[in-house]
Amino acid sequence: MDVRLEPWSDSRLGLLRRINTPLMRRHVGGPETPEQLLLRHRRYLELPSRGGVMYAVLVDGEEAGSIAHHRREWRGAEIHETGWNVLPEFQGRGVALAAGRAMLTALRALVAADATAPGVLHAFPAVDNAPSNALCARLGFTDDGPCAFEYPQRSGRFLHSNDWHLALR
């Protein structure tokens, strides 16, 4: 199985629509409206200008999901945050683990080249999202326990999440 990451592009709107289902979005508040989805797509395209990258996850050349890292403030400090989605037909095959490792390799290279970049990566999966919490552990993150995590950022809506962190340097 060949798992590759490609930076997000205009051609990935269809993938974002495939991710926007009740099943795929159950841990983050449910599907978004078509208008919200277009805004999200634009934000993904703009991430590189704000120190982040959204990637399409490809398995043997086929779209299988997405994974990202971006900068944000958390508890008074600038951090990198990550999140991911793997389409149901690709789940249980090690795709998220391979994508996570590839993203970590790319992010560590960026951090090594920029002494001002945050040196820690956080993930905030819902406490009841067992696969994502297990993935954090397999990738070497440390669980700081439950927290109230605002998602989307500046929305005023808080999720009951676990706060996982991983040193990048």
Side-chain angles (χ1 to χ4, degrees):
M1 176 175 65
D2 176 41
V3 177
R4 288 185 301 111
L5 305 183
E6 287 188 359
W8 203 257
S9 65
D10 266 330
S11 68
R12 302 299 182 194
L13 181 57
L15 173 58
L16 190 56
R17 287 183 176 127
R18 290 175 61 202
I19 291 168
N20 191 45
T21 66
L23 176 66
M24 292 289 297
R25 305 248 333 139
R26 70 188 176 280
H27 295 290
V28 292
E32 295 177 306
T33 67
E35 296 78 19
Q36 291 170 318
L37 209 59
L38 283 174
L39 289 173
R40 178 174 296 283
H41 179 62
R42 288 188 196 117
R43 284 193 307 273
Y44 289 172
L45 292 169
E46 295 168 359
L47 270 179
S49 68
R50 298 191 323 265
V53 181
M54 171 59 76
Y55 297 100
V57 176
L58 305 177
V59 173
D60 298 328
E62 189 176 348
E63 293 178 336
S66 63
I67 192 166
H69 64 81
H70 62 93
R71 293 181 184 201
R72 73 169 290 154
E73 185 174 313
W74 176 246
R75 296 183 173 167
E78 188 179 29
I79 64 163
H80 290 278
E81 176 191 349
T82 187
W84 50 83
N85 297 281
V86 175
L87 294 169
E89 60 268 30
F90 292 95
Q91 292 175 7
R93 296 172 41 192
V95 172
L97 182 61
R101 287 177 175 157
M103 183 274 303
L104 283 171
T105 298
L107 179 55
R108 283 188 168 122
L110 290 173
V111 169
D114 180 359
T116 66
V120 66
L121 175 66
H122 284 253
F124 300 96
V127 295
D128 62 346
N129 186 341
S132 285
N133 282 286
L135 177 63
C136 288
R138 289 193 69 195
L139 288 171
F141 284 74
T142 299
D143 186 3
D144 289 334
C147 67
F149 181 70
E150 187 177 24
Y151 183 84
Q153 199 171 357
R154 295 181 290 282
S155 67
R157 189 171 62 109
F158 289 83
L159 304 176
H160 188 57
S161 299
N162 282 321
D163 178 7
W164 292 85
H165 77 274
L166 177 70
L168 296 170
R169 300 189 167 95

